[in-house]
Amino acid sequence: DAGVIQSPRHEVTEMGQEVTLRCKPISGHNSLFWYRQTMMRGLELLIYFNNNVPIDDSGMPEDRFSAKMPNASFSTLKIQPSEPRDSAVYFCASSLRLGAVDTQYFGPGTRLTVL
Amino acid sequence: DQQVKQNSPSLSVQEGRISILNCDYTNSMFDYFLWYKKYPAEGPTFLISISSIKDKNEDGRFTVFLNKSAKHLSLHIVPSQPGDSAVYFCAAVVNFGNEKLTFGTGTRLTIIP
């Protein structure tokens, strides 16, 4: 059974460019989470969805960040315009249901570098 | 403001010995704690958890201890094996059933053969 799929695995872009990260959750999972990992702050929850509806986006750092989940099998995290301080590893995770904190399955991450 | 702190960025332990990873938290409302393990180029995977109503939870070679008065938890791995070399993240949540995990910055554990 395929796990959470993220693409691209690596992204290098220049400051000011738009970046789109993609995620396919595990089939049948109803909740989807976007995290960002940095050395200084560890893993931070950016936003999560339940049944394709955004529930809490209080972790989104700025208006430059936006996320969508148009259907149960796909989500995007967009940064426009990107800045060097956005460089980090971005993880997507899914779980069967809300509240299942010990069964959040993470994807392999997208390493973003903004020059 | 880091509510979950892992003050040791790295730790090296001889194979077969005990590995102890530490985590401190500041938010007294946290009532459920988790440890995740992360290998390079992979996402974190859930390892073990503990509720605030307990002070110890054991799963095979892994034991988590919780000291609520000190706002401290630790993960013990015994005996340590080379496959345990990874980054370990401590996480906490207010009200189990809430989705908002707060993670620490991680500790890189290296097991020396």
Side-chain angles (χ1 to χ4, degrees), chain A residues 19-56:
Chain A
V19 175
T20 300
L21 311 181
R22 297 173 175 79
C23 175
K24 177 179 170 53
I26 294 173
S27 178
H29 281 194
N30 295 323
S31 297
L32 182 139
F33 308 80
W34 281 101
Y35 290 89
R36 178 172 68 175
Q37 182 194 358
T38 60
M39 291 292 290
M40 292 300 294
R41 302 180 65 85
L43 277 159
E44 301 173 277
L45 177 64
L46 301 178
I47 184 172
Y48 68 93
F49 296 81
N50 187 53
N51 292 327
N52 313 336
V53 176
I55 302 300
D56 189 331

Coordinates of all heavy atoms in Angstrom, one line a residue, chain A residues 19-56:
Chain A
V19 N 6.3 28.8 -5.9 CA 6.6 27.4 -5.6 C 5.3 26.7 -5.3 O 4.5 27.2 -4.5 CB 7.6 27.3 -4.5 CG1 7.8 25.9 -4.1 CG2 8.9 28.0 -4.8
T20 N 5.1 25.5 -5.9 CA 4.0 24.7 -5.6 C 4.4 23.3 -5.2 O 5.1 22.6 -5.9 CB 3.0 24.6 -6.7 OG1 2.6 25.9 -7.1 CG2 1.8 23.7 -6.4
L21 N 4.1 22.9 -3.9 CA 4.4 21.6 -3.4 C 3.1 20.8 -3.4 O 2.0 21.3 -3.2 CB 4.9 21.7 -2.0 CG 6.0 22.7 -1.8 CD1 6.5 22.7 -0.3 CD2 7.2 22.5 -2.7
R22 N 3.3 19.5 -3.8 CA 2.1 18.6 -3.9 C 2.1 17.4 -3.0 O 3.2 16.9 -2.6 CB 2.1 18.1 -5.4 CG 1.9 19.3 -6.4 CD 2.0 18.8 -7.8 NE 1.8 19.9 -8.8 CZ 2.6 20.9 -9.1 NH1 3.8 20.9 -8.6 NH2 2.3 21.8 -9.9
C23 N 0.9 17.0 -2.7 CA 0.8 15.9 -1.8 C -0.4 15.0 -2.1 O -1.5 15.5 -2.4 CB 0.6 16.4 -0.3 SG 0.3 15.1 0.9
K24 N -0.2 13.7 -2.1 CA -1.3 12.7 -2.2 C -1.3 11.9 -1.0 O -0.4 11.2 -0.6 CB -1.0 11.8 -3.4 CG -2.0 10.7 -3.6 CD -1.7 9.9 -4.9 CE -2.5 8.6 -5.0 NZ -4.0 8.9 -4.9
P25 N -2.4 12.1 -0.2 CA -2.5 11.3 1.1 C -2.8 9.9 0.8 O -3.1 9.4 -0.3 CB -3.7 12.0 1.8 CG -4.6 12.5 0.6 CD -3.6 12.9 -0.5
I26 N -2.7 9.1 1.9 CA -3.1 7.7 1.8 C -4.6 7.5 1.6 O -5.4 8.3 2.2 CB -2.7 7.0 3.2 CG1 -1.2 7.0 3.3 CG2 -3.2 5.6 3.2 CD1 -0.7 6.5 4.7
S27 N -4.9 6.7 0.6 CA -6.3 6.5 0.3 C -7.1 6.1 1.5 O -6.8 5.2 2.3 CB -6.4 5.3 -0.8 OG -7.7 5.1 -1.1
G28 N -8.2 6.8 1.6 CA -9.2 6.5 2.7 C -8.9 7.4 3.9 O -9.7 7.4 4.9
H29 N -7.8 8.1 4.0 CA -7.5 9.0 5.1 C -8.3 10.3 4.9 O -8.3 10.9 3.8 CB -6.0 9.3 5.2 CG -5.3 8.2 5.8 ND1 -4.0 8.4 6.3 CD2 -5.6 6.9 6.1 CE1 -3.5 7.3 6.8 NE2 -4.5 6.4 6.7
N30 N -8.9 10.8 6.0 CA -9.8 12.0 5.9 C -9.1 13.3 6.3 O -9.6 14.3 6.1 CB -11.0 11.7 6.7 CG -11.9 10.6 6.2 OD1 -12.0 10.5 5.0 ND2 -12.5 9.9 7.1
S31 N -7.9 13.2 7.0 CA -7.3 14.4 7.5 C -5.9 14.5 6.8 O -5.2 13.5 6.6 CB -7.1 14.3 9.0 OG -8.4 14.2 9.6
L32 N -5.6 15.7 6.5 CA -4.3 16.0 5.9 C -3.6 17.2 6.5 O -4.3 18.2 6.9 CB -4.5 16.3 4.4 CG -3.2 16.5 3.6 CD1 -3.3 15.8 2.2 CD2 -2.9 18.0 3.4
F33 N -2.3 17.1 6.7 CA -1.5 18.1 7.5 C -0.3 18.5 6.6 O 0.3 17.7 6.0 CB -1.0 17.5 8.8 CG -2.1 16.9 9.6 CD1 -2.5 15.6 9.3 CD2 -2.7 17.5 10.7 CE1 -3.5 15.0 10.1 CE2 -3.6 16.9 11.5 CZ -4.1 15.7 11.2
W34 N 0.0 19.8 6.7 CA 1.2 20.3 6.1 C 2.1 20.8 7.3 O 1.7 21.6 8.1 CB 1.0 21.5 5.2 CG 0.5 21.0 3.8 CD1 -0.8 21.1 3.3 CD2 1.3 20.6 2.7 NE1 -0.8 20.6 2.0 CE2 0.5 20.3 1.6 CE3 2.7 20.3 2.6 CZ2 0.9 19.8 0.4 CZ3 3.1 19.8 1.4 CH2 2.3 19.6 0.3
Y35 N 3.4 20.3 7.3 CA 4.4 20.8 8.3 C 5.6 21.3 7.6 O 5.9 21.0 6.4 CB 4.8 19.6 9.1 CG 3.9 19.0 10.1 CD1 3.0 18.0 9.7 CD2 3.8 19.4 11.4 CE1 2.1 17.4 10.6 CE2 2.9 18.8 12.3 CZ 2.1 17.8 11.9 OH 1.2 17.2 12.7
R36 N 6.3 22.2 8.3 CA 7.6 22.7 7.9 C 8.7 22.3 8.9 O 8.4 22.5 10.1 CB 7.5 24.2 7.7 CG 8.8 24.8 7.2 CD 8.6 26.3 6.9 NE 8.3 27.1 8.0 CZ 8.1 28.5 7.9 NH1 8.3 29.1 6.8 NH2 7.8 29.2 9.0
Q37 N 9.8 21.9 8.5 CA 10.9 21.5 9.4 C 12.1 22.5 9.1 O 12.6 22.5 8.0 CB 11.4 20.1 9.2 CG 12.5 19.7 10.2 CD 13.2 18.4 9.8 OE1 12.8 17.7 8.8 NE2 14.2 18.0 10.6
T38 N 12.5 23.1 10.2 CA 13.8 23.9 10.1 C 14.6 23.5 11.3 O 14.1 23.0 12.3 CB 13.5 25.4 10.2 OG1 12.8 25.7 11.4 CG2 12.6 25.9 9.0
M39 N 15.9 23.8 11.2 CA 16.8 23.5 12.3 C 16.4 24.3 13.6 O 16.5 23.7 14.7 CB 18.2 23.9 11.9 CG 18.8 23.0 10.8 SD 19.1 21.3 11.4 CE 20.4 21.5 12.5
M40 N 16.0 25.5 13.4 CA 15.8 26.4 14.6 C 14.5 26.1 15.2 O 14.4 26.2 16.5 CB 15.8 27.8 14.1 CG 17.2 28.3 13.7 SD 18.4 28.2 15.0 CE 17.7 29.4 16.2
R41 N 13.5 25.7 14.5 CA 12.1 25.5 15.1 C 11.6 24.1 15.0 O 10.5 23.9 15.5 CB 11.2 26.5 14.4 CG 11.6 28.0 14.4 CD 10.6 28.9 13.7 NE 9.3 28.9 14.4 CZ 9.0 29.6 15.4 NH1 9.9 30.5 15.9 NH2 7.8 29.6 15.9
G42 N 12.4 23.2 14.5 CA 11.9 21.8 14.4 C 10.7 21.7 13.4 O 10.7 22.4 12.4
L43 N 9.8 20.9 13.7 CA 8.6 20.6 12.9 C 7.5 21.6 13.4 O 7.1 21.5 14.5 CB 8.1 19.2 13.0 CG 8.8 18.2 12.1 CD1 8.6 16.8 12.7 CD2 8.3 18.3 10.7
E44 N 6.9 22.3 12.4 CA 5.8 23.2 12.8 C 4.6 22.9 11.9 O 4.7 22.7 10.7 CB 6.2 24.7 12.4 CG 7.4 25.2 13.1 CD 7.7 26.6 12.6 OE1 8.4 26.7 11.6 OE2 7.3 27.6 13.2
L45 N 3.4 22.8 12.5 CA 2.2 22.6 11.8 C 1.8 23.9 11.1 O 1.6 24.9 11.8 CB 1.1 22.1 12.7 CG -0.3 21.8 12.1 CD1 -0.2 20.7 11.0 CD2 -1.3 21.5 13.2
L46 N 1.6 23.8 9.8 CA 1.2 25.0 9.0 C -0.3 25.1 8.9 O -0.9 26.1 9.2 CB 1.8 25.0 7.7 CG 3.4 24.9 7.6 CD1 3.8 24.9 6.2 CD2 4.0 26.1 8.3
I47 N -0.9 24.0 8.5 CA -2.4 23.9 8.2 C -2.8 22.5 8.2 O -2.0 21.6 7.9 CB -2.7 24.6 6.9 CG1 -4.2 24.7 6.6 CG2 -2.0 23.9 5.7 CD1 -4.6 25.6 5.4
Y48 N -4.1 22.3 8.5 CA -4.6 20.9 8.3 C -6.1 21.0 7.8 O -6.8 21.9 8.1 CB -4.5 20.0 9.6 CG -5.3 20.4 10.8 CD1 -6.6 19.8 11.0 CD2 -4.8 21.2 11.7 CE1 -7.3 20.1 12.1 CE2 -5.5 21.5 12.9 CZ -6.8 21.0 13.1 OH -7.5 21.3 14.2
F49 N -6.4 19.9 7.1 CA -7.7 19.8 6.5 C -8.4 18.5 7.1 O -7.8 17.5 7.4 CB -7.6 19.5 5.0 CG -7.0 20.7 4.2 CD1 -5.6 20.8 4.2 CD2 -7.7 21.6 3.5 CE1 -5.0 21.9 3.5 CE2 -7.2 22.6 2.8 CZ -5.8 22.8 2.8
N50 N -9.7 18.6 7.1 CA -10.5 17.4 7.4 C -11.6 17.3 6.3 O -12.4 18.3 6.1 CB -11.1 17.4 8.7 CG -11.8 16.1 9.1 OD1 -11.2 15.1 9.0 ND2 -13.1 16.2 9.5
N51 N -11.7 16.2 5.6 CA -12.7 16.0 4.5 C -12.6 17.2 3.5 O -13.6 17.7 3.1 CB -14.1 15.9 5.1 CG -14.3 14.6 5.9 OD1 -13.7 13.6 5.5 ND2 -15.1 14.7 6.9
N52 N -11.3 17.5 3.2 CA -11.0 18.5 2.2 C -11.2 19.9 2.6 O -11.0 20.9 1.8 CB -11.7 18.3 0.9 CG -11.7 16.8 0.4 OD1 -10.8 16.1 0.8 ND2 -12.7 16.4 -0.4
V53 N -11.7 20.2 3.8 CA -12.0 21.5 4.3 C -10.9 22.0 5.3 O -10.5 21.2 6.2 CB -13.3 21.5 5.1 CG1 -13.6 22.9 5.7 CG2 -14.5 21.1 4.1
P54 N -10.3 23.2 5.1 CA -9.3 23.7 6.0 C -9.9 23.9 7.4 O -10.9 24.6 7.5 CB -8.8 25.0 5.3 CG -9.9 25.4 4.4 CD -10.6 24.1 4.0
I55 N -9.3 23.3 8.4 CA -9.8 23.4 9.7 C -9.0 24.5 10.5 O -9.6 25.3 11.3 CB -9.7 22.1 10.5 CG1 -10.4 21.0 9.7 CG2 -10.2 22.2 11.9 CD1 -11.9 21.3 9.5
D56 N -7.7 24.5 10.4 CA -6.9 25.5 11.1 C -5.7 25.9 10.3 O -4.9 25.0 10.0 CB -6.5 24.8 12.5 CG -5.8 25.8 13.4 OD1 -5.2 26.8 12.9 OD2 -5.9 25.6 14.6

